[in-house]
Amino acid sequence: MAQDLWLQNYDATCRLAQEIAENIHERNRLQRTGGNPAKLNMTLRASLQKLKQNILQLRETLVRASSQRRIMQSEADRRQNLVDDLVTREKQLCSTFSRDGTDPEPSRSSLMSGGFGAGTGGAGSVNPWLVNESEETKGLTFGEIKQQQQRVIDAQDAGLDALSAVISRQKRMGEEIGNELDEQNEIIDDITQLVDKTDSRIRNETRRVKLVETKSASCGELPTPAQPAH
C-alpha cells in the first residue's frame, strides 16, 4: 500500500531538517576559516522558516485526521510523538544557527541525528535519513567529504574510460575480422564460379568426344563392296 500523504510530508520535513543541519555546519566552518557565510545565512533563515511552517502543517493535518477518526488512536499518538521530536529538533537548529560559528558546536552526527522518530517504522529515535558515519569521514568537513567523493567518482570515471577503450578496440578487431571474412567469401565465390565454368567445359568436351567416337564407329561398320565374278 502506498505511503499516505502525511508520512510523505513528514519524511520531506526530516530531509529539510538534515539539510539545514549540514548547512549550519558548513556556515560555521566558513566563519572559523575566514570565509563569507552571508549567502548561507540567507538560505538558512529561509529554510528554518520553511521548516517551522512544515511542522505546523503536519500538526494541523494530524489533528484533523485524528478528530475525524481517519487514523487509529495509537497511530495518532505515534505521529504526535514524531511531530514533538521535530519541534524539539527545530528549536535545536534555531539555537545552533544563532550561535556564533567560532564557538564550539555540536558534532556533525548530533546535528543530523537530532531526536527524530522513525516515520514509517516503529517508535524509534533514529533519524531515518541518517546514514551511519564511516571511519573514513569522521572529523572531515562537508567540503572535504565532497572532495573525497569526487575523487572516488573520478577514479570510477577513469576505470570506465579504460573499459570503453578496451571495448572500442575489440569492436575494431571484430570489424576487421568481419571485413576479412567478407573478402575470403568473395574469393570463395570466384573459385566456385571458376569451378562451375570449368566443369561445364569438361562436360561439353566429353560430349564432343563421345559424338566423334560414335561417328567413327558408324563409319567402320559400312558394308564391303562385292568382288566382280571371273
Side-chain angles (χ1 to χ4, degrees), residues 43-229:
T43 301
L44 283 166
R45 289 190 184 93
S47 297
L48 286 168
Q49 183 63 30
K50 181 175 177 57
L51 177 63
K52 182 177 293 187
Q53 293 173 353
N54 288 359
I55 295 172
L56 179 60
Q57 183 179 10
L58 285 172
R59 174 174 287 167
E60 292 175 349
T61 304
L62 178 59
V63 169
R64 285 198 301 270
S66 178
S67 62
Q68 296 172 5
R69 300 186 181 280
R70 294 201 301 266
I71 58 176
M72 297 180 62
Q73 186 60 44
S74 59
E75 177 63 13
D77 293 340
R78 188 182 76 88
R79 295 187 182 190
Q80 184 59 53
N81 289 334
L82 298 179
V83 173
D84 292 342
D85 288 342
L86 278 173
V87 171
T88 300
R89 188 73 189 110
E90 185 262 339
K91 292 179 180 179
Q92 291 175 343
L93 289 171
C94 287
S95 175
T96 306
F97 172 69
S98 301
R99 186 186 301 121
D100 187 349
T102 57
D103 294 340
E105 60 172 323
S107 67
R108 182 169 64 250
S109 296
S110 63
L111 271 175
M112 291 191 291
S113 60
F116 292 122
T120 58
S125 60
V126 179
N127 180 358
W129 298 103
L130 177 64
V131 178
N132 290 332
E133 189 171 6
S134 67
E135 293 294 334
E136 296 179 353
T137 59
K138 283 184 178 179
L140 299 180
T141 65
F142 289 105
E144 291 169 339
I145 292 175
K146 289 179 181 179
Q147 292 176 359
Q148 185 183 73
Q149 292 174 340
Q150 187 60 48
R151 286 194 295 270
V152 172
I153 292 173
D154 291 342
Q156 292 175 342
D157 288 342
L160 291 174
D161 290 340
L163 179 60
S164 176
V166 171
I167 293 174
S168 298
R169 185 163 57 252
Q170 291 178 338
K171 180 181 178 181
R172 288 195 299 271
M173 290 174 61
E175 291 173 347
E176 291 173 358
I177 292 173
N179 293 335
E180 185 176 349
L181 288 175
D182 290 340
E183 294 175 358
Q184 291 178 353
N185 287 334
E186 291 176 358
I187 294 173
I188 291 173
D189 290 341
D190 293 340
I191 293 174
T192 301
Q193 293 177 2
L194 180 60
V195 169
D196 290 341
K197 290 179 181 178
T198 302
D199 184 63
S200 178
R201 285 198 297 268
I202 291 174
R203 286 197 298 269
N204 290 336
E205 291 299 326
T206 301
R207 283 196 296 270
R208 289 195 191 95
V209 169
K210 288 182 178 180
L211 181 60
V212 170
E213 289 178 348
T214 301
K215 289 182 178 180
S216 297
S218 298
C219 292
E221 293 175 357
L222 290 177
T224 303
Q227 297 294 326

